[in-house]
Amino acid sequence: MISVNARATTGPRNPFQPLVIERRDLGAHDVLIDIAFAGICHSDIHTARNEWGEALFPLVPGHEIAGTIASVGASVTKFAVGDRAGVGCFVDSCRECENCRKGEEQHCLNKTIWTYNTRDKDGRPTYGGYSQQIVVDENYALRLPASIGLDAAAPLMCAGITMYSPLRRYHTEPGKSVAILGMGGLGHMGVKIAHAMGAEVTVLSQSLSKQADGLRLGADHYFATGDSDTFDKLGRSFDVIVSTLSANVELGPYLDLLKLDGAFVNVGMPEHALEIPPGALVQRRAVVTGSLIGGIAETQEMLDFCAQHGLGSEVEVIGADQIDEAYDRVVNSDVRYRFVIDTATMSA
Ligand code: NAP
Ligand code: ZN
Ligand code: ZN
């Protein structure tokens, strides 16, 4: 076993504290990654605060992992020591089911092994990226392009792929009008990626406080959903709306913004059920759908796309002792636009 410094929480609302965790010894196809940065995704917060239930404590969150290969198992071919590598939301799956064979490992019909808060194939809990090292099968690690800094690359492993996948699936391209709902960690990557794909991009945020940033990152338009005339002004504008909202809102007014046959893609995971008014569905022939990160091959495609277009995340780098404060700031929409933990600050 390999002992690794980590940060863990022992219960909902308990502060993060140092914890030494054990990583397995390297199997033939495993790599050991020295983690440089770990992003803080809102999903970490939902899990740590038990908003989704079923949290396994002590919990070491973190599924936006960027680092460098420290050692490799005997049969590893994909990586060499010193290569840059990333790990996203899952670290294994059955590899045999229909969905795994299609490259949709996040939808494994047997069991996707999530990077944290799951029991691994050996029955031990998985621990995520708020730690200095991780052991992962080479097939579930990604190649990080050299042109993207490791701090800016870490959030691509969840926020980047979560936006790239539905934007591709719903044909984001020149001539299409795309709205990104929420200008947070996912939202700001959505703006960058949709712009790079050539679409006309609109941000719908609660206020105009982040308007200048939104326009700088590639949005063509920016509206505050709190302004009473925003919804009237926009009319039936959008081919696609991708909602990253972490909290429940009334969906009807947003569905009304779709063109005929437009798609509302929900990627946000608020605590409560979404209520869909039938009128908006019928009148817009709206497609209301969702999307869950992306498979390994598509994640690599996204990383290569980001490298080609010079895209990384806008990050605020924090030390390991600032995780609790960062969580509160994310919940208050006060992050520009992703916190990443510098794991060097976890040394004892
Ligand atoms: P985030 O950085 O906190 O961004 C969420 C945004 O939602 C905020 O910036 C804010 O946008 C908006 N928002 C928050 N509270 C709101 C409220 N009460 N009313 C209206 N808007 C509100 O979070 P994130 O990391 O991007 O994650 C967003 C959601 O996606 C979370 O629920 C997370 O669990 C989920 N998620 C899903 C996937 C997937 O694969 N489907 C992957 C990762 C994350 P403004 O400040 O612009 O108003
Ligand atoms: Zn995430
Ligand atoms: Zn499978």
Side-chain angles (χ1 to χ4, degrees), residues 40-47 51-52 63-64 89 106 114 157-163 166 180-189 203-207 209-210 222-223 225 243-250 254 266-271 290-294 327 329-339:
I40 293 181
C41 175
H42 206 121
S43 299
D44 301 349
I45 304 174
H46 290 306
T47 308
E51 290 165 1
W52 294 342
H63 58 209
E64 294 186 332
C89 296
Q106 76 280 27
W114 304 107
M157 300 305 304
C158 175
I161 184 60
T162 299
M163 300 309 288
I180 304 292
L181 189 42
M183 176 74 181
L186 266 53
H188 91 288
M189 284 313 307
V203 175
L204 301 176
S205 180
Q206 291 170 94
S207 75
S209 63
K210 299 179 251 186
Y222 201 107
F223 293 96
T225 52
S243 171
T244 74
L245 301 189
S246 54
N248 287 84
V249 299
E250 208 187 322
Y254 295 99
N266 181 74
V267 296
M269 288 280 288
E271 196 174 353
S291 193
L292 176 68
I293 46 172
Y327 273 31
R329 284 188 53 198
V330 171
V331 171
N332 292 326
S333 296
D334 179 26
V335 49
R336 305 283 190 278
Y337 282 88
R338 200 56 141 184
F339 288 114

Side-chain angles (χ1 to χ4, degrees), residues 9-59:
T9 173
T10 53
R13 302 281 165 182
N14 289 358
F16 277 86
Q17 290 174 338
L19 178 73
V20 175
I21 56 171
E22 302 293 325
R23 301 292 192 189
R24 66 173 181 262
D25 291 324
L26 265 63
H29 287 284
D30 285 339
V31 295
L32 174 68
I33 300 174
D34 282 337
I35 300 174
F37 296 99
I40 293 181
C41 175
H42 206 121
S43 299
D44 301 349
I45 304 174
H46 290 306
T47 308
R49 296 188 170 175
N50 225 353
E51 290 165 1
W52 294 342
E54 297 175 3
L56 291 175
F57 293 107
L59 179 84

Side-chain angles (χ1 to χ4, degrees), residues 281-313:
L281 277 187
V282 171
Q283 286 160 19
R284 301 293 185 271
R285 273 190 335 217
V287 176
V288 179
T289 182
S291 193
L292 176 68
I293 46 172
I296 294 292
E298 193 179 32
T299 303
Q300 191 64 59
E301 180 186 308
M302 174 277 306
L303 289 167
D304 297 342
F305 176 89
C306 286
Q308 190 190 339
H309 293 274
L311 308 182
S313 175

Side-chain angles (χ1 to χ4, degrees), residues 33 43 84 160 214 264 272:
I33 300 174
S43 299
R84 297 147 58 94
F264 181 95
H272 305 293

Side-chain angles (χ1 to χ4, degrees), residues 6-311:
R7 285 291 190 274
T9 173
T10 53
R13 302 281 165 182
N14 289 358
F16 277 86
Q17 290 174 338
L19 178 73
V20 175
I21 56 171
E22 302 293 325
R23 301 292 192 189
R24 66 173 181 262
D25 291 324
L26 265 63
H29 287 284
D30 285 339
V31 295
L32 174 68
I33 300 174
D34 282 337
I35 300 174
F37 296 99
I40 293 181
C41 175
H42 206 121
S43 299
D44 301 349
I45 304 174
H46 290 306
T47 308
R49 296 188 170 175
N50 225 353
E51 290 165 1
W52 294 342
E54 297 175 3
L56 291 175
F57 293 107
L59 179 84
V60 178
H63 58 209
E64 294 186 332
I65 296 171
T68 309
I69 301 286
S71 58
V72 297
S75 305
V76 167
T77 54
K78 185 171 169 184
F79 294 99
V81 172
D83 286 353
R84 297 147 58 94
V87 178
C89 296
F90 56 94
V91 289
D92 214 335
S93 65
C94 85
R95 310 171 191 214
E96 288 167 359
C97 73
E98 186 185 343
N99 291 350
C100 281
R101 285 203 312 268
K102 281 196 295 200
E104 303 279 12
E105 300 91 345
Q106 76 280 27
H107 295 292
C108 176
L109 296 172
N110 293 307
K111 188 180 177 192
T112 303
I113 310 285
W114 304 107
T115 305
Y116 63 84
N117 202 41
T118 305
R119 292 205 178 270
D120 209 339
K121 287 175 176 168
D122 61 9
R124 299 170 62 237
T126 54
Y127 294 121
Y130 298 6
S131 61
Q132 292 189 311
Q133 293 183 311
I134 189 167
V135 174
V136 60
D137 186 294
E138 62 175 328
N139 294 304
Y140 292 78
L142 281 298
R143 296 180 175 285
L144 294 182
S147 59
I148 309 174
L150 289 177
D151 53 350
L156 301 180
M157 300 305 304
C158 175
I161 184 60
T162 299
M163 300 309 288
Y164 179 89
S165 182
L167 287 168
R168 265 277 178 265
R169 196 171 314 121
Y170 293 96
H171 310 293
T172 302
E173 59 196 21
K176 291 289 172 64
S177 177
V178 174
I180 304 292
L181 189 42
M183 176 74 181
L186 266 53
H188 91 288
M189 284 313 307
V191 170
K192 288 187 177 203
I193 292 170
H195 174 71
M197 289 175 174
E200 184 175 353
V201 182
T202 300
V203 175
L204 301 176
S205 180
Q206 291 170 94
S207 75
L208 294 180
S209 63
K210 299 179 251 186
Q211 182 179 30
D213 288 340
L215 298 176
R216 175 173 60 82
L217 300 184
D220 300 285
H221 315 283
Y222 201 107
F223 293 96
T225 52
D227 287 353
S228 54
D229 60 344
T230 287
F231 289 91
D232 290 341
K233 243 188 311 199
L234 286 169
R236 301 181 174 210
S237 300
F238 304 117
D239 296 291
V240 183
I241 299 175
V242 184
S243 171
T244 74
L245 301 189
S246 54
N248 287 84
V249 299
E250 208 187 322
L251 286 195
Y254 295 99
L255 298 181
D256 284 341
L257 299 181
L258 290 170
K259 293 181 184 173
L260 190 64
D261 295 323
F264 181 95
V265 189
N266 181 74
V267 296
M269 288 280 288
E271 196 174 353
H272 305 293
L274 304 177
E275 283 187 27
I276 301 169
L281 277 187
V282 171
Q283 286 160 19
R284 301 293 185 271
R285 273 190 335 217
V287 176
V288 179
T289 182
S291 193
L292 176 68
I293 46 172
I296 294 292
E298 193 179 32
T299 303
Q300 191 64 59
E301 180 186 308
M302 174 277 306
L303 289 167
D304 297 342
F305 176 89
C306 286
Q308 190 190 339
H309 293 274
L311 308 182

